Amino acid sequence: MATPTSLPETARRSYWGNVWSTIKSTAVGMGITFRYLWSKPFTVQYPDEKLTTDERYRGIHYLEQDLCICCNACAKACPIDCIEMEATRHGKELEWHQFDLDYQKCMFCELCVYPCPKDCIHMGKEYALVTEDRGTLNMDLLTWQGLTEEQKVRIAEAEAKKAAKKAAKEAAAKKKAEQENREEA
Amino acid sequence: MKPLTIIASALPEAPVSEAAAPQGNGLTEMLAGWLPESVPFWGLTLMASGLAFGVIMAFVSVVAMFSTWLERKVAGHIQIRLGPMRVGGWHGWAQAIADGVKLLIKEDIILASADRPLFKLAPALVLGTAISTFVVLPFAPGVMIADVHLGIFFVIAISSVTTIGVIMAGWGSNNKWSVYGAMREAAQVASYEIPLGLSLMPPVIYYGSFSLLEATQAQSGWFGMHWYILDPSVMLVSVPSFVLFFVATLAETKRAPFDLPESESELVAGFHTEYSGIRFSFFFMEEYAAMFVMSAIATVLWFGGWNFLGLAALEGIPVLYTTACMLVFIVKSMLLVFVMMWVRWTLPRLRIDQVMILGYKYLTPLCLIVVFAASLLEYLRFVLSN
């Protein structure tokens, strides 16, 4: 009697065919797993070694503070308002008070990077944000705090210049007023 | 080693006359040598039992720890990952110790609705039966707790008592999943006990003895390579009988692809769902102890026990020889344990009907054929040698 061909292959095999196919398929499967057993694992031992991130990876920002002019363009572009900055102007010199980026809110959308007129804010490669204290996630992006000696000198110079300019202007105004008085007299 | 001696060895010993002194074993004799003569025989027996229990328990713990570590490493590497790498430095060797400590200090939860006596007794029974099978394993010449005349029979009988412990655990947990697991275990072990026993018959017929020590000694020829599985005159039955035994062993020890009692993806964790802490670890130790015992039986009957090429050359140096023999025996057994792990991470779990089909429609008839072939072969060898 011919076996109906509509049955699945496993049902059409004979008794010894089943025995043979079981042994054979198990042997083939075990051969494959044995090959895998000796192949090099894909796993990376994370804290010790890290995978290299992509060129365009969007990690924690870094700021080129020397270039920044405190124009607030990035803070305005930010859709969730996580950037806050403050600086006092002394002529062309800036006295920074804060440049905070709150990583509890930040979604790494990169929208703050494009509007920067000085091209001074970038997305970095660092991604490890694990912390025991949420407060530390509100990060200060300033590369330095306070002012260097050189800067203090430059600020002092700028202030002196400003004061001199003001004094000169006042002197000029006084002179002018005196002249007008004399003419009247 | 002739066929008729099987029957002789299977019969009970002639009854000892009451006048004869009670017979001890090597351990009691050793203790009697150390202790004063006033110590009674029952005291010696008690001490010998305690000593044997301590040694076996320590060995089982180490084997279980090493096996869990090996299992995780093998699983990891087969899946192209690393497995434990941190604890203890080199490739996470102390992972099993850390796990053990963790299980020890965990809360031991017993459900309010559980059957307390059964629930508490089950892990002890399961582990107790598993470690009592170690009593008959011949590790090396002279390193063997008891040379039981019916050693193979003893192991098969005792190891199936584990099932009762598992059923107790399942029933005592008062949990549907646990009872399902226990029922599967009962059905599976009852079915696979037949092929397991039958597949042990070809070597028994070959050695003409149920004793594991005699089986090992019979394979010491050819400079230690006269293993049953390597003997060309019986290879036709020794290789198939080993394969059948190995498959039955996997089912008997609840290993994948026959891990239906546990099957974590359908029954949570099967019969030990409700167990925690040290009781849970008892079930795990039992699994690895049973794996080692079954591998050791296969080592003794098919792979020459402690015999290895050229090992007899060391016979003059007692300590070194014993150590080398033990090492050979344990390495051979662990290799078979490794194969069990390898199978586990290769094959998917069977359905319960597939397990039953494999047991009753394939393994049992094939075992009967192999036993018949082995008997015929042994008869031919007997006729030809005379």
Side-chain angles (χ1 to χ4, degrees), chain A residues 15-16 18-19 26 29-31 33-34 36-37 39-43 45-48, chain B residues 73-74 77-78 80-82 85-86 338-339 342-343 345-347 361-362 365-366 369:
Chain A
Y15 184 85
W16 294 104
N18 274 337
V19 172
T26 307
M30 285 178 75
T33 42
F34 196 70
Y36 275 126
L37 182 60
S39 60
K40 197 178 168 294
F42 283 122
T43 322
Q45 291 286 293
Y46 166 62
D48 300 340
Chain B
K73 282 314 246 191
V74 168
H77 281 275
I78 282 181
I80 331 186
R81 51 190 180 83
L82 287 162
M85 286 297 280
R86 296 265 146 201
F338 164 74
V339 176
W342 179 13
V343 170
W345 296 103
T346 304
L347 298 175
K361 281 169 79 177
Y362 290 94
L366 289 175
I369 292 168

Short mmCIF file of all heavy atoms in Angstrom, two decimals, chain A residues 15-16 18-19 26 29-31 33-34 36-37 39-43 45-48, chain B residues 73-74 77-78 80-82 85-86 338-339 342-343 345-347 361-362 365-366 369:
data_model
loop_
_atom_site.label_atom_id
_atom_site.label_comp_id
_atom_site.label_asym_id
_atom_site.label_seq_id
_atom_site.Cartn_x
_atom_site.Cartn_y
_atom_site.Cartn_z
N TYR A 15 9.79 3.18 10.41
CA TYR A 15 10.31 3.09 11.77
C TYR A 15 11.82 3.33 11.78
O TYR A 15 12.32 4.19 12.50
CB TYR A 15 9.99 1.71 12.32
CG TYR A 15 10.40 1.51 13.76
CD1 TYR A 15 9.56 1.91 14.79
CD2 TYR A 15 11.61 0.90 14.08
CE1 TYR A 15 9.92 1.72 16.10
CE2 TYR A 15 11.98 0.71 15.40
CZ TYR A 15 11.13 1.11 16.41
OH TYR A 15 11.49 0.93 17.70
N TRP A 16 12.54 2.58 10.96
CA TRP A 16 14.00 2.71 10.94
C TRP A 16 14.42 4.04 10.34
O TRP A 16 15.47 4.58 10.71
CB TRP A 16 14.65 1.54 10.20
CG TRP A 16 14.42 0.26 10.94
CD1 TRP A 16 13.54 -0.73 10.61
CD2 TRP A 16 15.05 -0.15 12.16
NE1 TRP A 16 13.57 -1.72 11.56
CE2 TRP A 16 14.50 -1.40 12.52
CE3 TRP A 16 16.01 0.43 13.00
CZ2 TRP A 16 14.88 -2.08 13.66
CZ3 TRP A 16 16.39 -0.26 14.13
CH2 TRP A 16 15.82 -1.50 14.46
N ASN A 18 12.83 6.78 10.91
CA ASN A 18 12.72 7.70 12.05
C ASN A 18 13.95 7.61 12.94
O ASN A 18 14.50 8.62 13.37
CB ASN A 18 11.47 7.37 12.87
CG ASN A 18 10.25 8.06 12.33
OD1 ASN A 18 10.34 9.07 11.64
ND2 ASN A 18 9.10 7.50 12.62
N VAL A 19 14.35 6.37 13.23
CA VAL A 19 15.52 6.17 14.10
C VAL A 19 16.74 6.84 13.47
O VAL A 19 17.47 7.61 14.11
CB VAL A 19 15.78 4.66 14.31
CG1 VAL A 19 17.10 4.46 15.05
CG2 VAL A 19 14.65 4.03 15.09
N THR A 26 20.32 14.82 15.30
CA THR A 26 20.97 15.14 16.57
C THR A 26 22.47 15.35 16.35
O THR A 26 23.06 16.31 16.88
CB THR A 26 20.74 14.02 17.59
OG1 THR A 26 19.36 13.78 17.68
CG2 THR A 26 21.28 14.41 18.95
N GLY A 29 23.04 18.67 14.65
CA GLY A 29 22.84 19.77 15.59
C GLY A 29 23.97 19.90 16.57
O GLY A 29 24.45 21.00 16.86
N MET A 30 24.44 18.76 17.08
CA MET A 30 25.53 18.80 18.05
C MET A 30 26.82 19.26 17.40
O MET A 30 27.65 19.92 18.05
CB MET A 30 25.69 17.44 18.73
CG MET A 30 24.59 17.21 19.73
SD MET A 30 24.66 15.63 20.54
CE MET A 30 26.01 15.88 21.68
N GLY A 31 26.98 18.94 16.12
CA GLY A 31 28.16 19.46 15.39
C GLY A 31 28.13 20.97 15.33
O GLY A 31 29.14 21.64 15.55
N THR A 33 26.52 23.08 17.39
CA THR A 33 26.77 23.69 18.71
C THR A 33 28.23 23.54 19.11
O THR A 33 28.78 24.41 19.78
CB THR A 33 25.87 23.09 19.79
OG1 THR A 33 25.82 21.69 19.62
CG2 THR A 33 24.49 23.67 19.75
N PHE A 34 28.87 22.44 18.69
CA PHE A 34 30.28 22.26 19.03
C PHE A 34 31.13 23.31 18.32
O PHE A 34 32.07 23.84 18.90
CB PHE A 34 30.74 20.85 18.64
CG PHE A 34 32.04 20.45 19.29
CD1 PHE A 34 32.08 20.20 20.64
CD2 PHE A 34 33.20 20.35 18.55
CE1 PHE A 34 33.27 19.84 21.26
CE2 PHE A 34 34.40 20.00 19.16
CZ PHE A 34 34.42 19.74 20.52
N TYR A 36 30.09 26.30 17.52
CA TYR A 36 29.83 27.56 18.22
C TYR A 36 30.59 27.62 19.54
O TYR A 36 31.02 28.69 19.96
CB TYR A 36 28.33 27.72 18.47
CG TYR A 36 27.59 28.31 17.31
CD1 TYR A 36 26.49 27.68 16.76
CD2 TYR A 36 28.00 29.52 16.77
CE1 TYR A 36 25.81 28.23 15.70
CE2 TYR A 36 27.33 30.08 15.71
CZ TYR A 36 26.24 29.43 15.17
OH TYR A 36 25.58 29.99 14.13
N LEU A 37 30.72 26.45 20.19
CA LEU A 37 31.37 26.40 21.50
C LEU A 37 32.78 26.98 21.43
O LEU A 37 33.23 27.62 22.36
CB LEU A 37 31.41 24.94 21.98
CG LEU A 37 32.01 24.64 23.34
CD1 LEU A 37 31.26 25.35 24.43
CD2 LEU A 37 31.98 23.15 23.60
N SER A 39 33.88 29.08 18.99
CA SER A 39 34.01 30.34 18.26
C SER A 39 34.18 31.49 19.26
O SER A 39 33.84 31.37 20.43
CB SER A 39 32.78 30.58 17.39
OG SER A 39 31.64 30.65 18.20
N LYS A 40 34.73 32.59 18.75
CA LYS A 40 35.03 33.73 19.62
C LYS A 40 33.74 34.40 20.07
O LYS A 40 32.91 34.73 19.24
CB LYS A 40 35.90 34.73 18.85
CG LYS A 40 36.60 35.72 19.75
CD LYS A 40 37.48 36.64 18.91
CE LYS A 40 37.97 37.81 19.72
NZ LYS A 40 36.90 38.72 20.14
N PRO A 41 33.54 34.60 21.39
CA PRO A 41 32.29 35.23 21.84
C PRO A 41 32.19 36.68 21.39
O PRO A 41 33.21 37.37 21.25
CB PRO A 41 32.39 35.14 23.36
CG PRO A 41 33.46 34.17 23.66
CD PRO A 41 34.39 34.20 22.51
N PHE A 42 30.95 37.12 21.21
CA PHE A 42 30.71 38.51 20.81
C PHE A 42 30.73 39.45 22.00
O PHE A 42 30.81 40.65 21.85
CB PHE A 42 29.34 38.62 20.11
CG PHE A 42 29.34 38.13 18.71
CD1 PHE A 42 28.49 37.12 18.31
CD2 PHE A 42 30.21 38.68 17.79
CE1 PHE A 42 28.49 36.68 17.01
CE2 PHE A 42 30.22 38.24 16.49
CZ PHE A 42 29.36 37.23 16.10
N THR A 43 30.60 38.86 23.19
CA THR A 43 30.43 39.68 24.39
C THR A 43 31.63 40.58 24.64
O THR A 43 32.76 40.18 24.41
CB THR A 43 30.24 38.78 25.61
OG1 THR A 43 29.46 37.68 25.25
CG2 THR A 43 29.60 39.52 26.74
N GLN A 45 33.47 42.78 27.70
CA GLN A 45 33.49 42.92 29.16
C GLN A 45 33.37 44.40 29.47
O GLN A 45 34.37 45.09 29.63
CB GLN A 45 34.79 42.31 29.70
CG GLN A 45 34.83 40.81 29.57
CD GLN A 45 33.92 40.14 30.56
OE1 GLN A 45 34.15 40.19 31.75
NE2 GLN A 45 32.86 39.52 30.09
N TYR A 46 32.14 44.90 29.63
CA TYR A 46 31.86 46.32 29.52
C TYR A 46 32.73 47.30 30.29
O TYR A 46 33.41 48.08 29.64
CB TYR A 46 30.37 46.61 29.76
CG TYR A 46 30.11 48.06 29.97
CD1 TYR A 46 30.41 48.98 28.95
CD2 TYR A 46 29.65 48.55 31.17
CE1 TYR A 46 30.22 50.33 29.13
CE2 TYR A 46 29.46 49.89 31.36
CZ TYR A 46 29.75 50.78 30.34
OH TYR A 46 29.56 52.10 30.52
N PRO A 47 32.77 47.28 31.59
CA PRO A 47 33.52 48.40 32.18
C PRO A 47 35.01 48.38 31.79
O PRO A 47 35.64 49.42 31.76
CB PRO A 47 33.35 48.21 33.69
CG PRO A 47 32.25 47.23 33.84
CD PRO A 47 32.27 46.39 32.62
N ASP A 48 35.54 47.19 31.49
CA ASP A 48 36.96 47.09 31.13
C ASP A 48 37.21 47.48 29.68
O ASP A 48 38.16 48.16 29.36
CB ASP A 48 37.46 45.66 31.36
CG ASP A 48 37.31 45.24 32.81
OD1 ASP A 48 37.18 46.14 33.65
OD2 ASP A 48 37.31 44.03 33.08
N LYS B 73 29.27 27.98 31.81
CA LYS B 73 30.31 28.31 30.84
C LYS B 73 29.97 27.69 29.47
O LYS B 73 30.06 28.35 28.43
CB LYS B 73 31.68 27.77 31.30
CG LYS B 73 32.34 28.60 32.35
CD LYS B 73 32.31 30.05 32.04
CE LYS B 73 33.64 30.66 31.78
NZ LYS B 73 33.56 32.14 31.74
N VAL B 74 29.57 26.40 29.49
CA VAL B 74 29.24 25.70 28.24
C VAL B 74 28.06 26.39 27.57
O VAL B 74 28.08 26.67 26.37
CB VAL B 74 28.94 24.21 28.52
CG1 VAL B 74 28.32 23.54 27.31
CG2 VAL B 74 30.21 23.48 28.92
N HIS B 77 29.26 29.72 26.05
CA HIS B 77 30.09 29.65 24.85
C HIS B 77 29.34 29.07 23.66
O HIS B 77 29.61 29.43 22.53
CB HIS B 77 31.37 28.87 25.15
CG HIS B 77 32.38 29.71 25.88
ND1 HIS B 77 33.26 30.54 25.24
CD2 HIS B 77 32.60 29.87 27.19
CE1 HIS B 77 33.99 31.17 26.13
NE2 HIS B 77 33.61 30.78 27.32
N ILE B 78 28.38 28.15 23.92
CA ILE B 78 27.58 27.62 22.80
C ILE B 78 26.72 28.74 22.23
O ILE B 78 26.45 28.78 21.03
CB ILE B 78 26.75 26.40 23.26
CG1 ILE B 78 27.65 25.18 23.33
CG2 ILE B 78 25.57 26.13 22.32
CD1 ILE B 78 27.00 23.91 23.74
N ILE B 80 27.69 31.79 22.01
CA ILE B 80 28.67 32.82 21.64
C ILE B 80 28.70 33.97 22.62
O ILE B 80 28.80 35.13 22.25
CB ILE B 80 28.48 33.33 20.19
CG1 ILE B 80 27.88 32.26 19.31
CG2 ILE B 80 29.81 33.77 19.59
CD1 ILE B 80 27.81 32.63 17.88
N ARG B 81 28.56 33.67 23.90
CA ARG B 81 28.83 34.68 24.91
C ARG B 81 29.81 34.07 25.91
O ARG B 81 30.34 32.99 25.65
CB ARG B 81 27.53 35.17 25.56
CG ARG B 81 26.65 34.06 26.04
CD ARG B 81 25.28 34.54 26.46
NE ARG B 81 24.52 33.39 26.91
CZ ARG B 81 24.60 32.89 28.12
NH1 ARG B 81 25.40 33.42 29.01
NH2 ARG B 81 23.89 31.83 28.46
N LEU B 82 30.06 34.74 27.02
CA LEU B 82 31.17 34.31 27.86
C LEU B 82 30.75 33.53 29.11
O LEU B 82 31.53 32.77 29.65
CB LEU B 82 31.98 35.53 28.31
CG LEU B 82 32.84 36.16 27.21
CD1 LEU B 82 33.23 37.56 27.61
CD2 LEU B 82 34.06 35.34 26.95
N MET B 85 32.16 35.73 34.40
CA MET B 85 33.54 36.14 34.18
C MET B 85 34.12 36.93 35.36
O MET B 85 35.31 37.18 35.40
CB MET B 85 33.64 37.05 32.95
CG MET B 85 33.50 36.34 31.63
SD MET B 85 34.81 35.17 31.33
CE MET B 85 36.11 36.25 30.77
N ARG B 86 33.30 37.35 36.32
CA ARG B 86 33.75 38.32 37.32
C ARG B 86 34.19 37.68 38.63
O ARG B 86 35.26 37.97 39.12
CB ARG B 86 32.61 39.30 37.63
CG ARG B 86 32.22 40.13 36.46
CD ARG B 86 32.94 41.45 36.47
NE ARG B 86 33.20 41.85 35.11
CZ ARG B 86 34.11 42.72 34.76
NH1 ARG B 86 34.90 43.26 35.65
NH2 ARG B 86 34.31 43.01 33.50
N PHE B 338 29.82 16.65 30.54
CA PHE B 338 29.91 17.72 29.53
C PHE B 338 29.05 17.39 28.31
O PHE B 338 28.36 18.27 27.79
CB PHE B 338 31.37 17.92 29.12
CG PHE B 338 31.53 18.69 27.85
CD1 PHE B 338 31.31 20.07 27.84
CD2 PHE B 338 31.85 18.07 26.67
CE1 PHE B 338 31.42 20.78 26.68
CE2 PHE B 338 31.97 18.77 25.50
CZ PHE B 338 31.75 20.13 25.50
N VAL B 339 29.08 16.11 27.88
CA VAL B 339 28.25 15.74 26.72
C VAL B 339 26.77 15.96 27.03
O VAL B 339 26.01 16.44 26.19
CB VAL B 339 28.52 14.27 26.30
CG1 VAL B 339 27.60 13.86 25.17
CG2 VAL B 339 29.96 14.12 25.88
N TRP B 342 26.16 19.54 26.66
CA TRP B 342 26.22 19.84 25.23
C TRP B 342 24.88 19.48 24.58
O TRP B 342 24.32 20.27 23.80
CB TRP B 342 27.38 19.04 24.67
CG TRP B 342 27.66 19.12 23.22
CD1 TRP B 342 27.16 20.01 22.33
CD2 TRP B 342 28.54 18.26 22.50
NE1 TRP B 342 27.67 19.75 21.10
CE2 TRP B 342 28.51 18.70 21.17
CE3 TRP B 342 29.34 17.17 22.86
CZ2 TRP B 342 29.27 18.06 20.19
CZ3 TRP B 342 30.08 16.56 21.88
CH2 TRP B 342 30.05 17.00 20.57
N VAL B 343 24.33 18.32 24.92
CA VAL B 343 23.02 17.92 24.39
C VAL B 343 21.96 18.91 24.84
O VAL B 343 21.10 19.31 24.06
CB VAL B 343 22.66 16.49 24.85
CG1 VAL B 343 21.21 16.16 24.53
CG2 VAL B 343 23.57 15.47 24.22
N TRP B 345 22.14 22.05 25.45
CA TRP B 345 22.14 23.32 24.74
C TRP B 345 22.03 23.14 23.24
O TRP B 345 22.22 24.08 22.49
CB TRP B 345 23.37 24.14 25.13
CG TRP B 345 23.28 24.46 26.58
CD1 TRP B 345 23.97 23.85 27.58
CD2 TRP B 345 22.39 25.37 27.21
NE1 TRP B 345 23.56 24.34 28.79
CE2 TRP B 345 22.61 25.26 28.60
CE3 TRP B 345 21.43 26.25 26.74
CZ2 TRP B 345 21.90 26.04 29.51
CZ3 TRP B 345 20.73 27.01 27.65
CH2 TRP B 345 20.97 26.90 29.01
N THR B 346 21.77 21.90 22.79
CA THR B 346 21.56 21.67 21.36
C THR B 346 20.10 21.40 21.05
O THR B 346 19.55 21.99 20.12
CB THR B 346 22.40 20.45 20.90
OG1 THR B 346 23.75 20.67 21.24
CG2 THR B 346 22.26 20.22 19.42
N LEU B 347 19.47 20.51 21.83
CA LEU B 347 18.14 20.04 21.46
C LEU B 347 17.05 20.79 22.22
O LEU B 347 17.21 21.09 23.40
CB LEU B 347 18.02 18.54 21.79
CG LEU B 347 18.98 17.63 21.03
CD1 LEU B 347 18.83 16.22 21.53
CD2 LEU B 347 18.72 17.70 19.54
N LYS B 361 7.97 3.33 22.07
CA LYS B 361 7.98 2.80 20.71
C LYS B 361 9.38 2.65 20.14
O LYS B 361 9.58 1.92 19.18
CB LYS B 361 7.15 3.71 19.79
CG LYS B 361 5.66 3.47 19.94
CD LYS B 361 4.86 4.53 19.26
CE LYS B 361 4.77 4.33 17.76
NZ LYS B 361 3.91 5.37 17.15
N TYR B 362 10.34 3.38 20.69
CA TYR B 362 11.69 3.30 20.12
C TYR B 362 12.70 2.70 21.08
O TYR B 362 13.29 1.67 20.78
CB TYR B 362 12.13 4.68 19.63
CG TYR B 362 11.35 5.10 18.42
CD1 TYR B 362 10.21 5.87 18.52
CD2 TYR B 362 11.73 4.65 17.15
CE1 TYR B 362 9.46 6.21 17.41
CE2 TYR B 362 10.99 4.98 16.04
CZ TYR B 362 9.86 5.76 16.17
OH TYR B 362 9.12 6.08 15.07
N PRO B 365 11.87 -1.28 22.45
CA PRO B 365 12.14 -2.35 21.48
C PRO B 365 13.60 -2.42 21.06
O PRO B 365 14.16 -3.52 20.96
CB PRO B 365 11.26 -1.97 20.29
CG PRO B 365 10.29 -0.99 20.78
CD PRO B 365 10.88 -0.33 21.95
N LEU B 366 14.22 -1.26 20.86
CA LEU B 366 15.63 -1.27 20.44
C LEU B 366 16.50 -1.89 21.53
O LEU B 366 17.42 -2.65 21.23
CB LEU B 366 16.10 0.16 20.14
CG LEU B 366 15.53 0.79 18.87
CD1 LEU B 366 15.99 2.23 18.75
CD2 LEU B 366 15.97 0.02 17.64
N ILE B 369 16.17 -5.58 21.36
CA ILE B 369 16.96 -6.12 20.24
C ILE B 369 18.43 -6.19 20.63
O ILE B 369 19.10 -7.20 20.40
CB ILE B 369 16.76 -5.24 18.98
CG1 ILE B 369 15.33 -5.38 18.46
CG2 ILE B 369 17.75 -5.63 17.89
CD1 ILE B 369 14.96 -4.35 17.41
#
